[in-house]
Amino acid sequence: MNQDAGRMGATEDPADDLKVTAPKTWAAGLPAVAHALQYSLEQTTVRRTALTLLNVNQAEGIDCPGCAWPEPDRRHRNEYCENGAKHINDEATSRRVTRDFFAEHSIEELDGKSDFWLNQQGRLTEPMVKRPGAAHYEPIAWDDAFTLIADQLNRLASPDEAMFYVSGRLNNEAAFLLQLFARAFGTNNLPDCSNMCHESSGSALGETLGIGKGSVSLEDIYHADLVFVVGQNPGTNHPRMLSALEHTKRNGGQVVAVNTLPEAGLMRFKNPQKASGLVGRGTVIADQFVQIRPGGDLALFQMLNRLLLEADDAAGGGVLDRGYIERYTTGFEAFAQHIRTVTWAQVLSATGLPRSEIEEVHRRVLASKSVIVCWAMGLTQQKHGVPTIREVVNFLLLRGNIGKPGAGVCPVRGHSNVQGDRTMGIWERMPDWFLDALGAEFGFEPPRAHGVDTVGGVRAMRDGKARVFVGVAGNFVRATPDSAVTEAALRSCSLTVQVSTKLNRSHTVTGETAVILPTLGRSDRDVQATGEQFVTVEDSMSIVHASRGKLEPASSHLLSEVAIISRLARRTLGGTPPIPWADFEADYGLIRDRISRVVPGFEDFNARVMKPGGFTLNNPVNSGVYPTPSGKAVFTANELTWLQTPPGHLVLQSLRSHDQWNTVPYAMNDRYRGIHDARRIVMVNPKDIAELGFTDGDLVDIVSVWHDGSERRAPGFRLVGYPASRGSAAAYYPETNVLVPLDSVADISNTPTSKGVIVRFETASGSAG
């Protein structure tokens, strides 16, 4: 039944029917091509599939919404991965959600459906409203929808009772307008998805280097002597990164993978863009796999740093780049004094690694003149995520591996424009210089009080301090932690508004009044009063480039995100301040002109972005300039801490399946890990399963424990014996978001700690003992 669910998604909601096979030891190749085409053709026609796939990630084409990995200068005709192909054609689907669908299905019924089923219904086609007390959505005209929302906003006691949430798929032009609207309305409540993923990266890099972005290019990846891939699964979450790592290997570089799970893409990669990748053995990616315990990365990098100090001592100098340290950094002496106190006993306990494994990594570091560290949410979604990333920076600073070719920091972001949204001002704590420039450009005084982030926004709604929620793209209710608390918070609102392309759970968890505003997708043509428009995005390596839709929109009733924000702003603000919203809707070039006068690095935006491939924003650290208060890169002394579990407990991390994009599963499979036809599974080392008194295949409830004594329960998960690191467990989100307490957040960044949840298992109620 489940194998047919993609075709039959309009009627069936598949149940788990678990089948387990051996995990794969390589990624991509011909199966990836076949799966991509199969899913694409289940969603839409051959013609539309060809239009999307031949245009995605091309210089004059569609930027793939699937991830933020950059395109190479020399692009392949098929410059996409399996999951990118699935994502673009999931958006390009020929299925439609019409007013008849909402008349047939009550909100209560839809709330009982799975994320998979909701997504499979297709594209939204016209604005819908749920009136107070109503059981169904009903159609509403665009003008009436904007009037309804504007009236609710203007009746609030304070602008801070509204919040405007943004997902990272939003383009630069729309993001700039949204933050402009929110601030002209009077609030900095601009939470975004970055609060839940790479906020820890921005916090750590901003403090130590002065800029919260990565410093490397694809050329740096290609020519690095050593690349660390830490807390990251590129084979599923950004598969085109494997092509870059293939370049690294072929140029003689090495790769060290640090993860709790063995991931197929980091073992061997069969590049489907090459004949040798389709029929050959492919390329071994990781030269060393360091299978660490969850949250042990801080300890690992602290020991690597201690070993570098000791190697420099033993050699009488020459191991550390003393010239670089003295000229470009501050804080070295305090850092060195602290790091020498770190003991092997601490590190081995925290990491679960043998000493010989860490010493082998150290030898690779000593043999490398240029080192890059890449990371993702395996680091950022930990209680001590910010100190861990600061320690990574320490590691790179010791040998001058910042700002030189083949070296630097590389936080790998997931959403296609999450970095660009932040650049455009989507942040609750934008600095005064940005607000000064924005106010001067548009003739008003932006609010200065910091707004709420995502976790703070949930608290504000829960506590009655926020009454109107506006979500632009994304699936807020399934992306956030502590599902029961988040859902209750949204239901307490007087109004919830979702700007969306497809149906998701955020449409079924509503305020007293709820509005769905359907919008164009990235693949849709966008025609306004002055002609066809394009939008822009910024990738993980700070390259800003254009994206042009190629398909006819899913419905004649759709508006672009720029049009929706512009019309809502006009209706809400009534011309005060006098911002030309109608002109912006008609010509996106006018928005880019204003961006060029507000956001540094975007001077002459319209002309520069017309060049094939766009332009790269300058990162000052690559010129030896560190915009910190001292003007230098900062060494930090970070207290060594790690997750310690009571007897009978494990550390759970939530993750994606291979057939999933963010909160949306495209299938019930995770084929690289050998999981088929099921999502409510938990992967645990077989030795841990036995020690806990269970058997592979047992049905259990996962119970998370919090330091205040509270517990949260996710019922009915099947234990799967898997080669995970000892003491760890892994299960899919959003199903396990319920286990993450709202207040369980990373220090400093306030990011939910979804990669560090202490849990125990209990036999599921109704199961045999």
Side-chain angles (χ1 to χ4, degrees):
M1 178 181 70
N2 292 344
Q3 291 178 343
D4 295 329
R7 290 181 289 274
M8 300 172 65
T11 58
E12 294 195 3
D13 198 349
D16 278 12
D17 183 19
L18 176 63
K19 301 176 184 65
V20 179
T21 59
K24 299 292 186 184
T25 57
W26 55 271
L30 191 59
V33 176
H35 281 275
L37 290 176
Q38 178 186 4
Y39 187 82
S40 298
L41 295 174
E42 287 173 351
Q43 294 296 317
T44 191
T45 64
V46 172
R47 177 181 175 277
R48 287 169 68 86
T49 295
L51 273 173
T52 56
L53 295 186
L54 293 176
N55 282 283
V56 70
N57 292 329
Q58 299 301 318
E60 298 295 321
I62 310 162
D63 180 72
C64 179
C67 80
W69 192 253
E71 288 72 53
D73 291 336
R74 296 180 62 184
R75 306 184 192 202
H76 193 277
R77 192 69 187 92
N78 296 298
E79 191 57 53
Y80 52 85
C81 65
E82 173 192 350
N83 283 351
K86 290 177 181 176
H87 183 75
I88 197 72
N89 285 308
D90 186 77
E91 178 184 276
T93 182
S94 298
R95 300 171 185 171
R96 301 290 180 262
V97 176
T98 66
R99 60 176 62 187
D100 292 339
F101 173 90
F102 287 110
E104 179 183 353
H105 300 284
S106 70
I107 296 171
E108 181 180 9
E109 178 190 350
L110 293 174
D111 196 41
K113 296 293 188 180
S114 70
D115 302 281
F116 172 81
W117 188 92
L118 292 170
N119 179 67
Q120 289 297 320
Q121 304 317 300
R123 289 285 296 275
L124 297 161
T125 55
E126 63 179 316
M128 305 297 294
V129 62
K130 183 202 83 72
R131 308 283 184 182
H136 289 255
Y137 280 103
E138 61 186 62
I140 184 173
W142 276 107
D143 281 351
D144 293 340
F146 292 133
T147 297
L148 183 158
I149 299 166
D151 287 349
Q152 290 255 16
L153 286 170
N154 287 322
R155 285 202 298 266
L156 295 174
S158 163
D160 288 330
E161 290 185 353
M163 53 185 290
F164 300 87
Y165 171 77
V166 177
S167 164
R169 70 170 296 280
L170 192 66
N171 58 72
N172 285 329
E173 290 76 10
F176 185 79
L177 290 192
L178 183 66
Q179 64 82 29
L180 175 62
F181 168 41
R183 292 185 167 109
F185 179 65
T187 185
N188 282 311
N189 286 347
L190 285 158
D192 72 337
C193 61
S194 187
N195 297 149
M196 294 180 286
C197 56
H198 270 286
E199 198 68 53
S200 296
S201 299
S203 296
L205 296 178
E207 177 185 353
T208 57
L209 300 180
I211 183 168
K213 299 182 180 183
S215 66
V216 305
S217 67
L218 281 179
E219 286 296 319
D220 290 322
I221 297 277
Y222 298 163
H223 297 291
D225 289 340
L226 180 63
V227 177
F228 282 80
V229 181
V230 188
Q232 182 189 355
N233 176 18
T236 287
N237 298 334
H238 1 74
R240 288 187 303 126
M241 182 180 178
L242 297 178
S243 299
L245 294 175
E246 183 181 44
H247 275 281
T248 307
K249 297 303 297 293
R250 294 192 173 182
N251 287 330
Q254 295 188 334
V255 175
V256 171
V258 182
N259 209 330
T260 60
L261 299 174
E263 300 292 6
L266 291 171
M267 296 180 194
R268 186 181 294 273
F269 173 51
K270 297 185 178 184
N271 190 336
Q273 295 179 345
K274 301 177 179 179
S276 59
L278 294 174
V279 298
R281 289 183 50 80
T283 303
V284 172
I285 297 296
D287 297 276
Q288 184 178 354
F289 170 44
V290 180
Q291 189 166 22
I292 200 166
R293 286 179 179 165
D297 310 273
L298 174 58
L300 172 64
F301 278 96
Q302 290 206 332
M303 182 50 71
L304 291 176
N305 288 339
R306 183 188 129 178
L307 291 174
L308 286 174
L309 293 177
E310 292 175 348
D312 193 68
D313 293 342
V319 173
L320 307 185
D321 190 337
R322 293 283 180 176
Y324 174 89
I325 291 170
E326 291 172 7
R327 181 178 180 184
Y328 291 110
T329 76
T330 185
F332 172 77
E333 294 301 331
F335 152 78
Q337 182 179 0
H338 167 73
I339 215 69
R340 292 182 189 276
T341 68
V342 173
T343 69
W344 274 108
Q346 291 174 310
V347 171
L348 299 183
S349 177
T351 63
L353 299 170
R355 178 168 175 163
S356 59
E357 183 98 56
I358 298 172
E359 290 174 336
E360 182 180 349
V361 177
H362 172 63
R363 287 191 292 271
R364 295 181 190 277
V365 173
L366 288 179
S368 302
K369 294 182 179 179
S370 58
V371 180
I372 290 172
V373 181
C374 305
W375 69 87
M377 287 182 282
L379 294 195
T380 64
Q381 291 183 331
Q382 296 281 355
K383 173 73 172 171
H384 47 278
V386 173
T388 300
I389 298 166
R390 291 191 306 218
E391 201 64 49
V392 168
V393 174
N394 290 339
F395 169 72
L396 293 168
L397 293 177
L398 283 174
R399 306 191 78 199
N401 277 308
I402 299 281
K404 70 180 183 183
V409 292
C410 184
V412 182
R413 304 177 190 271
H415 281 70
S416 65
N417 198 41
V418 64
Q419 185 162 301
D421 288 346
R422 184 60 59 89
T423 304
M424 292 297 107
I426 300 293
W427 193 29
E428 72 280 359
R429 294 181 286 130
M430 286 302 288
D432 283 341
W433 63 258
F434 180 93
L435 299 177
D436 289 342
L438 188 72
E441 179 65 26
F442 291 100
F444 75 103
E445 178 56 37
R448 300 292 166 148
H450 289 169
V452 295
D453 62 8
T454 297
V455 169
V458 174
R459 291 176 182 146
M461 291 186 288
R462 177 197 63 191
D463 298 340
K465 297 178 181 179
R467 302 291 298 153
V468 173
F469 174 90
V470 180
V472 184
N475 183 6
F476 183 84
V477 75
R478 296 297 270 167
T480 42
D482 219 343
S483 304
V485 173
T486 296
E487 291 181 16
L490 282 164
R491 288 189 168 110
S492 73
C493 289
S494 59
L495 173 67
T496 51
V497 180
Q498 305 290 345
V499 180
S500 308
T501 56
K502 300 189 76 179
L503 195 64
N504 61 50
R505 280 291 304 286
S506 292
H507 305 120
T508 73
V509 178
T510 72
E512 184 180 18
T513 300
V515 179
I516 299 173
L517 302 179
T519 189
L520 297 177
R522 190 76 60 80
S523 58
D524 295 329
R525 294 179 63 233
D526 185 352
V527 180
Q528 302 296 338
T530 61
E532 190 154 354
Q533 307 296 312
F534 67 87
V535 295
T536 62
V537 297
E538 178 186 345
D539 63 35
S540 267
M541 294 182 180
S542 301
I543 301 171
V544 179
H545 59 91
S547 178
R548 296 172 171 84
K550 301 297 179 181
L551 302 179
E552 289 305 310
S555 165
S556 60
H557 300 294
L558 302 184
L559 294 179
S560 72
E561 291 152 330
V562 165
I564 290 170
I565 295 165
S566 296
R567 294 187 191 187
L568 179 58
R570 289 168 63 193
R571 192 66 52 90
T572 304
L573 301 175
T576 305
I579 297 170
W581 300 105
D583 294 341
F584 290 157
E585 177 183 346
D587 184 355
Y588 298 179
L590 298 178
I591 307 171
R592 289 187 285 273
D593 284 341
R594 297 300 189 102
I595 293 170
S596 71
R597 297 198 287 269
V598 172
V599 183
F602 283 80
E603 297 79 9
D604 202 17
F605 190 0
N606 273 307
R608 292 164 69 202
V609 82
M610 291 299 291
K611 298 177 182 178
F615 61 94
T616 302
L617 296 172
N618 176 57
N619 190 317
V621 305
N622 290 326
S623 302
V625 176
Y626 298 92
T628 63
S630 67
K632 294 186 175 184
V634 180
F635 277 98
T636 54
N638 302 294
E639 180 185 358
L640 178 54
T641 182
W642 65 94
L643 288 169
Q644 301 186 52
T645 57
H649 292 70
L650 304 174
V651 178
L652 175 77
Q653 60 174 332
S654 65
L655 40 69
R656 295 187 202 177
S657 72
H658 183 68
D659 289 293
Q660 179 177 347
W661 184 78
N662 289 343
T663 62
V664 178
Y666 292 150
M668 302 289 286
N669 303 317
D670 189 1
R671 74 173 193 278
Y672 284 163
R673 298 189 180 106
I675 308 298
H676 307 274
D677 295 334
R679 286 193 57 81
R680 297 187 77 83
I681 61 95
V682 55
M683 292 171 276
V684 182
N685 190 286
K687 292 181 179 179
D688 285 326
I689 293 177
E691 286 185 8
L692 293 171
F694 292 98
T695 302
D696 192 345
D698 281 353
L699 191 66
V700 300
D701 293 349
I702 309 175
V703 182
S704 67
V705 297
W706 182 229
H707 64 67
D708 64 1
S710 63
E711 297 183 349
R712 289 156 178 80
R713 182 177 298 265
F717 280 70
R718 191 73 63 180
L719 285 173
V720 174
Y722 197 82
S725 62
R726 292 299 306 275
S728 72
Y732 305 131
Y733 71 83
E735 289 86 348
T736 52
N737 288 357
V738 65
L739 296 170
V740 186
L742 185 65
D743 295 326
S744 181
V745 293
D747 296 334
I748 302 173
S749 69
N750 214 36
T751 297
T753 58
S754 301
K755 298 296 187 289
V757 184
I758 297 176
V759 301
R760 69 174 186 271
F761 302 140
E762 295 181 0
T763 300
S765 56
S767 298

